[in-house]
């Protein structure tokens, strides 16, 4: 799996689109990273995150489940809007500020280093490629790619998926993180570089901090029954949002699932250049919905994000307008659903189609 690669020297589509985007920022005299609008947004979300956590302890015990739910929503906002840009070094021009933004992933339960390997290096490079993109690997529970083995129970995956999505963040934070840590692999691909001593310390310290803040501390105040009830409610909200938002961009009936060539001189080589691969495997949705764009940190503009991950999401709506005609000229137009509901239908239909015999 470490030998899978894209054709060398074939970057015509990416170079053309990059020229268009670079010209836009040059004309606007604007940086590709965050701007004051992003920082005001981040401050608002950070305030919601901190205040909702405080409310868990302030509200009467019989009602603090409301705060747990609110904190689940706020945590998702942190992940979509702050952590994600920071991890891609697009939040700020400052590397230190980007690192702090990326470290919020440790605070909300996972790990910055793991995310960089899973998301930046695997998912963004080999999108929708089996055994490399962990986002389409559900250990056989779902059949997301036509190249994955089908089991009889997949016939109902378009129904039971919605009941399992709330478990996503729990499984992610308490299983996948540790699996990656101890195997030093994401899916079937080894980490691009070894963890340093500081990375190991960061991993265990942040995991301990998370358990202390979200389980031990509230349990010492309210007891375990109340704490676990609230904790699972928080993760049900967080997990469902994480799962659905990322599925709508890639695991839908408009997306493709390319595989590397096998045998001959091009063994292990993908058929298209990287940019074309992204345009075939990634789909936008609800690009005219300003609330969705604000709440999801521009993750409804997944094509723009996959082509230019080091551009802050605050710029995606404008990039979308200039990339639409540019991509259409390449014969690989931007694929998109007009609304969230149509994207949900696309995901539902994809699961249903792949679940049939």
């Amino acid at each position: 799996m470490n030998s899978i690669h894209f054709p060398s020297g074939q970057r015509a589509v990416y170079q053309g689109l990059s020229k268009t985007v670079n010209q836009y920022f040059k004309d606007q005299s604007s940086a590709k990273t965050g701007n004051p609008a992003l920082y005001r947004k981040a401050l608002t979300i950070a305030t919601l995150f901190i205040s909702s956590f405080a409310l868990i302890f302030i509200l009467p015990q019989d009602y603090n489940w409301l705060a747990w739910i609110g904190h689940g929503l706020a945590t998702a906002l942190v992940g979509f809007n702050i952590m994600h840009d920071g991890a891609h070094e697009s939040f700020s021009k400052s590397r230190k500020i980007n690192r702090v933004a990326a470290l919020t992933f440790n605070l909300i339960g996972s790990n910055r280093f793991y995310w960089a390997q899973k998301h930046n290096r695997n998912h963004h490079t080999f999108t929708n490629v089996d055994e490399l993109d962990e986002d389409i690997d559900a250990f056989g529970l779902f059949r997301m790619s036509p190249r994955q083995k089908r089991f009889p129970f997949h016939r109902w995956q378009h129904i039971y998926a919605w009941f399992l999505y709330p478990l996503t963040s729990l499984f992610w934070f308490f299983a996948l993180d540790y699996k990656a840590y101890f195997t030093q692999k994401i899916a079937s691909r080894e980490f691009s570089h070894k963890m340093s001593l500081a990375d190991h310390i960061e991993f265990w310290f942040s995991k301990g901090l998370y358990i202390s803040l979200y389980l031990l501390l509230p349990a010492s105040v309210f007891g375990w029954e109340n704490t676990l009830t609230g904790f699972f409610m928080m993760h049900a909200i967080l997990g469902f949002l994480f799962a659905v938002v990322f599925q709508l961009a890639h695991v839908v009936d408009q997306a493709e699932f390319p595989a590397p060539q096998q045998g001959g001189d091009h063994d292990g080589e993908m058929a298209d250049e990287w940019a074309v691969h992204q345009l075939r495997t990634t789909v936008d949705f609800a690009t005219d919905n300003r609330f969705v764009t604000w709440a999801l940190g521009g993750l409804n503009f997944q094509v723009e994000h996959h082509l230019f991950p080091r551009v802050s999401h605050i710029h995606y709506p404008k990039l979308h307008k200039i990339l639409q005609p540019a991509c259409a000229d390449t014969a690989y137009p931007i694929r998109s659903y007009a609304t969230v509901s149509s994207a949900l239908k696309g995901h539902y239909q994809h699961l249903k189609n792949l679940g049939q015999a």
Side-chain angles (χ1 to χ4, degrees):
M1 282 300 135
N2 287 347
S3 65
I4 305 300
H5 61 280
F6 289 92
S8 60
Q10 297 184 26
R11 303 181 64 212
V13 171
Y14 180 71
Q15 289 172 343
L17 296 177
S18 292
K19 184 177 180 180
T20 299
V21 169
N22 290 336
Q23 187 62 48
Y24 165 79
F25 283 105
K26 183 178 180 180
D27 293 342
Q28 298 295 316
S29 299
S30 171
K32 295 179 181 179
T33 51
N35 57 22
L38 174 63
Y39 304 140
R40 289 192 296 269
K41 178 183 180 181
L43 181 60
T44 300
I45 291 171
T47 301
L48 290 172
F49 178 80
I50 295 170
S51 59
S52 60
F53 182 76
L55 281 173
I56 293 173
F57 301 92
I58 295 173
L59 288 178
Q61 185 168 339
D62 291 340
Y63 298 100
N64 73 348
W65 59 272
L66 292 169
W68 280 104
I69 291 176
H71 193 62
L73 291 170
T75 301
L77 290 176
V78 170
F80 294 148
N81 292 275
I82 301 175
M83 180 282 294
H84 194 234
D85 271 27
H88 283 291
E89 298 186 346
S90 65
F91 188 83
S92 168
K93 293 180 181 179
S94 167
R95 294 187 65 184
K96 291 182 179 179
I97 293 176
N98 282 327
R99 186 178 179 86
V100 170
L103 278 170
T104 59
F105 205 35
N106 294 45
L107 183 62
I108 65 177
S110 191
N111 178 257
R112 171 196 59 81
F113 184 92
Y114 161 71
W115 178 259
Q117 299 293 324
K118 166 189 168 68
H119 185 75
N120 295 15
R121 294 179 176 85
N122 278 34
H123 172 69
H124 267 269
T125 305
F126 300 103
T127 311
N128 281 8
V129 178
D130 285 319
E131 297 188 56
L132 291 179
D133 185 358
E134 193 176 60
D135 286 3
I136 61 169
D137 181 7
F139 301 96
L141 190 59
F142 303 122
R143 185 176 186 236
M144 299 186 188
S145 164
R147 292 177 177 80
Q148 293 172 350
K149 183 178 179 180
R150 180 190 174 275
F151 295 100
F153 58 82
H154 287 148
R155 181 183 297 274
W156 299 282
Q157 66 175 3
H158 59 291
I159 298 173
Y160 67 72
W162 309 97
F163 297 96
L164 294 180
Y165 284 163
L167 302 176
T168 298
S169 55
L170 280 172
F171 182 66
W172 185 349
F173 298 169
F174 291 96
L176 289 180
D177 280 7
Y178 292 99
K179 174 180 177 292
Y181 179 84
F182 287 111
T183 64
Q184 296 290 287
K185 288 183 178 181
I186 298 295
S188 298
R189 191 171 188 238
E190 296 177 358
F191 282 178
S192 59
H193 61 275
K194 292 183 178 180
M195 297 179 73
S196 66
L197 177 60
D199 292 326
H200 285 286
I201 293 173
E202 178 189 305
F203 179 89
W204 289 108
F205 175 79
S206 59
K207 287 295 185 183
L209 179 64
Y210 184 76
I211 291 173
S212 298
L213 288 175
Y214 286 92
L215 288 174
L216 299 182
L217 179 60
S220 68
V221 177
F222 304 114
W224 281 104
E225 182 178 352
N226 177 278
T227 297
L228 290 176
T229 299
F231 184 74
F232 288 134
M233 292 177 75
M234 177 190 75
H235 271 284
I237 297 294
L238 177 63
F240 186 83
L241 289 174
F242 273 4
V244 170
V245 168
F246 288 111
Q247 298 286 53
L248 296 189
H250 304 288
V251 188
V252 288
D253 56 6
Q254 286 196 39
E256 298 181 51
F257 295 80
Q261 301 175 69
Q262 297 183 1
D265 295 336
H266 299 284
D267 184 51
E269 185 174 273
M270 302 303 299
D272 302 301
E273 68 161 285
W274 175 82
V276 171
H277 180 88
Q278 299 307 316
L279 289 166
R280 290 177 59 196
T281 59
T282 309
V283 183
D284 284 352
F285 62 92
T287 54
D288 292 328
N289 191 317
R290 295 179 66 182
F291 173 75
V292 169
T293 299
W294 187 92
L296 301 188
L299 291 176
N300 51 326
F301 291 92
Q302 278 284 327
V303 174
E304 292 75 12
H305 172 59
H306 267 253
L307 289 172
F308 302 100
R310 300 192 73 171
V311 172
S312 171
H313 77 263
I314 208 76
H315 303 294
Y316 291 163
K318 291 184 178 179
L319 287 191
H320 180 72
K321 293 179 179 179
I322 65 173
L323 283 173
Q324 269 190 316
C327 289
D329 288 343
T330 69
Y332 297 98
I334 292 177
R335 306 178 188 195
S336 182
Y337 294 100
T339 63
V340 172
S341 61
S342 60
L344 287 168
K345 290 177 183 177
H347 177 55
Y348 175 90
Q349 193 61 51
H350 177 74
L351 291 180
K352 186 175 182 180
N353 291 341
L354 289 190
Q356 303 308 307

